Amino acid sequence: MVLYPVIGKLVHKRVVLASASPRRREILNQAGLRFEVVPSRFKEKLDKSSFPTPYAYAIETAKQKALEVAHRMHSKDSRTADLVIGADTIVTIAGLILEKPVDKQDAYRMLSRLSGKEHSVFTGVTIVHCSRAGRQLQTEVLEFYEETRVTFSELSEEMLWAYIHSGEPMDKAGGYGIQALGGMLVEHVRGDFLNVVGFPLNHFCKKLSQLYCPPTPDAHQESIPAVGSVEKLRDPETLTGQANAGEGVQQTACNGTVESQPPCPWGLLDLIHGFKGSKVLLTACKLKVFDVLKDGAVLSAADVAAKIDASVHGTEWLLEGCAELGLLLRCAQGYRNTELASVFLASDAEYSLQGFITLCNNHTWDLFTHLETAVREGGDQLRLLSGRQTEDLFKDPVLIGSEEMLLQWMRGAHDLAKLSAQALAKAFDLSRFKSACHLGGCTGTLAYRLAQAYPHLQVTVFDLPKVIELAPSFHPCGWQAAQVSFLAGDIFQDGLPEAELYILSRDPYSWPDDVLQQLLSKVSEICKPGCALLIAGPVLDEERQTTRAQIPMLLRAHSGGRTTQGYERLLRAHGFHDVRVVRTGGLLDAVLATR
Ligand SMILES: Cc1cn([C@@H]2O[C@H](COP(=O)(O)OP(=O)(O)OP(=O)(O)O)[C@@H](O)[C@H]2O)c(=O)[nH]c1=O
């Protein structure tokens, strides 16, 4: 349940928590916020004496943590976040700032200082709002802090050491955890309890509400720091009419009774309207808008209309829609591609998603148009909708219909494979293997990446005859051709080629359990001791059981995915050991297990 409507408004934003603290993660999880965790690499080494107050130090540290992540995500992965949240918790007593103890003696020094006295816990929080200006990252920073006063009982030496030996103090500011065993040391708390635990949730929600749902002019206002241009953080209200204060509104009816109105359901409205954005993107791709604007071209709506053979009025509307979605930039002379569009939407871009987008527009869109019929009638329609056709197709490609349809499907799969192939190839050191076999390797995208990363590796792509026949049109020119070979066969019916490393990457998470088990038994049988299996699939978060990659899979019959432990159990049951997982940060993570 989401108590603050502003949390719902963030549902379509890429929110990132720049912290390794499990407590912060849990607090924000419980608030219903959807976010990724990218721990900051900022070293907490600022000169404390250069800050006028302890909280100024905490705020600056929080800011540096968040900025480091914002810049890293932008420059390294091209995954610019919308909001990055950083926090830093410190304990202060008699002008001294206590952070996490470095060892047990340090914990002892801290806790004996706190014994029998009141101290302050400050958490500095920074919300960094990120946007792109061309290739540059632009950031706007909002910061605040919260203070809570905590009084400790007198602690005996025995109690102190017993607590230190519990191990709890080591990763916590001031050397204690109020939420766990450390709660027994505390006599009194004045202020926000969660602030002591590591994150002042109440203050944070209020700050976000000020940004996204500012109060109406006549509503009660606490003194709000000027947010200036951060005001644009508010979602575009174009689709939903007038901005609402975001909280329940009370109105006096004619009979004098007070009626209350529920808060505006932002998240729900976004869902209701979401299909419009998809269709604008799919249509612009189909009409080749991003191709006519590639290579930095700037064109007016009339010029684009002439090139794509469409009406000027209609093209203007479409271009405006794309600009609103962040796919095009408006400038005085007209429109141009954003970086996102240049990298992923122009047909000849290295990472173009055109094939996948065409598949969605021609195939998936139609299927979902008939969702109601599919749900009423079940059967084949629902199988197609739920993504089950994937497994059927690769057991029998005839099921997909025409060769053109199979090609479209392969283009889509190829585009998605390009997104993760490089990270998968580098997830582990595979240099000990001389041969690899990618079962159901489709167009060979991962095989070529592996060959590129390991010059001594011979990779066989094993897939259905029809797929192998069509695969050559996807082969990258001049790339490691001698290292990659294609072999036609059926992974379910035929014997598997010998290899030191087997790879399964086509949606193992979407196969029903029995099919996957069957496949793993087969691999396990042929895989020699010391050889290995590499699975590429999304690894679910242990706590939240979600992953970014799960979002488009929502309607799949087998959207479950597996946690690290889930993979471990599964692979051990098939005679594999030393199961290792690398989260790539992309669509597919990598799991390696040795036979
Ligand atoms: C007083 C107190 C602190 N903490 C934890 O202490 C760490 C502070 O360190 P930090 O530097 O602010 O954070 P971190 O853990 O190093 O993570 P990061 O944000 O990546 O720097 C955070 O974990 C907090 O929960 C508790 O769990 N309970 C308490 O009662």
Side-chain angles (χ1 to χ4, degrees), residues 516-532:
L516 182 58
Q517 301 277 5
Q518 183 195 336
L519 207 51
L520 288 178
S521 302
K522 219 170 156 180
V523 175
S524 163
E525 237 168 66
I526 188 165
C527 197
K528 298 202 176 89
C531 295

Side-chain angles (χ1 to χ4, degrees), residues 169-197:
M170 298 319 293
D171 63 340
K172 299 181 181 76
Y176 72 96
I178 197 168
Q179 70 279 16
L181 279 180
M184 287 188 275
L185 317 177
V186 172
E187 216 165 71
H188 192 248
V189 179
R190 273 200 287 160
D192 182 355
F193 178 85
L194 289 183
N195 182 50
V196 184
V197 181

Side-chain angles (χ1 to χ4, degrees), residues 76-142:
K76 228 175 140 195
D77 308 336
S78 253
R79 294 189 305 143
T80 308
D82 292 313
L83 286 186
V84 181
I85 303 161
D88 190 63
T89 302
I90 53 168
V91 165
T92 67
I93 186 158
L96 252 184
I97 294 180
L98 310 180
E99 294 179 284
K100 289 168 288 190
V102 290
D103 54 26
K104 288 188 173 177
Q105 279 304 330
D106 199 22
Y108 174 80
R109 276 191 292 274
M110 289 184 182
L111 290 165
S112 42
R113 240 183 242 282
L114 302 178
S115 172
K117 299 200 187 79
E118 185 186 66
H119 63 266
S120 286
V121 180
F122 290 100
T123 299
V125 177
T126 298
I127 306 171
V128 177
H129 171 238
C130 306
S131 55
R132 279 162 175 262
R135 284 171 185 271
Q136 294 296 313
L137 173 70
Q138 283 193 334
T139 56
E140 286 176 61
V141 176
L142 177 80

Side-chain angles (χ1 to χ4, degrees), residues 299-566:
L299 296 178
S300 68
D303 290 340
V304 175
K307 285 184 187 283
I308 65 171
D309 195 17
S311 73
V312 175
H313 180 62
T315 305
E316 252 168 23
W317 187 92
L318 186 67
L319 297 179
E320 276 302 302
C322 289
E324 226 173 86
L325 294 173
L327 307 173
L328 292 180
L329 289 170
R330 291 182 201 95
C331 54
Q333 297 78 28
Y335 297 86
R336 61 188 170 88
N337 282 346
T338 56
E339 203 188 334
L340 188 72
S342 309
V343 176
F344 297 110
L345 301 178
S347 303
D348 57 1
E350 187 184 349
Y351 289 97
S352 174
L353 287 171
Q354 275 281 352
F356 181 59
I357 289 170
T358 307
L359 184 72
C360 288
N361 200 19
N362 293 356
H363 184 60
T364 322
W365 184 270
D366 284 351
L367 288 174
F368 273 76
T369 308
H370 302 295
L371 180 60
E372 185 188 330
T373 318
V375 170
R376 283 189 193 282
E377 295 174 3
D380 282 354
Q381 282 280 342
L382 202 57
R383 283 177 73 75
L384 288 170
L385 278 175
S386 64
R388 290 284 300 271
Q389 88 274 24
T390 313
E391 99 226 11
D392 293 343
L393 160 69
F394 282 89
K395 278 182 168 176
D396 183 1
V398 175
L399 282 178
I400 202 126
S402 66
E403 183 168 306
E404 175 49 32
M405 191 57 228
L406 178 58
L407 252 180
Q408 266 190 33
W409 197 94
M410 286 173 70
R411 285 188 200 117
H414 182 72
D415 283 359
L416 290 184
K418 282 185 299 190
L419 291 182
S420 38
Q422 196 164 10
L424 287 170
K426 292 189 174 159
F428 299 101
D429 177 7
L430 303 174
S431 53
R432 67 179 195 271
F433 303 110
K434 301 267 175 306
S435 61
C437 175
H438 190 175
L439 301 170
C442 198
T443 62
T445 317
L446 180 55
Y448 282 105
R449 280 289 179 197
L450 283 165
Q452 198 184 33
Y454 302 98
H456 302 297
L457 187 70
Q458 289 294 328
V459 195
T460 306
V461 177
F462 189 68
D463 216 317
L464 289 162
K466 198 79 201 151
V467 174
I468 297 292
E469 200 181 295
L470 297 171
S473 62
F474 294 90
H475 298 174
C477 305
W479 260 43
Q480 279 67 34
Q483 283 174 257
V484 181
S485 55
F486 286 76
L487 187 64
D490 183 328
I491 52 175
F492 294 98
Q493 305 295 334
D494 299 336
L496 305 179
E498 271 193 21
E500 293 178 6
L501 174 71
Y502 287 93
I503 304 158
L504 274 177
S505 76
R506 190 185 305 116
D507 287 15
Y509 50 94
S510 76
W511 281 325
D513 228 45
D514 52 336
V515 176
L516 182 58
Q517 301 277 5
Q518 183 195 336
L519 207 51
L520 288 178
S521 302
K522 219 170 156 180
V523 175
S524 163
E525 237 168 66
I526 188 165
C527 197
K528 298 202 176 89
C531 295
L533 170 65
L534 175 71
I535 295 186
V539 177
L540 300 189
D541 191 310
E542 302 286 342
E543 284 172 29
R544 300 177 69 206
Q545 300 269 304
T546 58
T547 161
R548 177 167 290 281
Q550 199 178 353
I551 299 164
M553 313 297 171
L554 269 178
L555 293 169
R556 288 187 161 210
H558 303 282
S559 60
R562 285 188 165 75
T563 60
T564 301
Q565 282 177 359

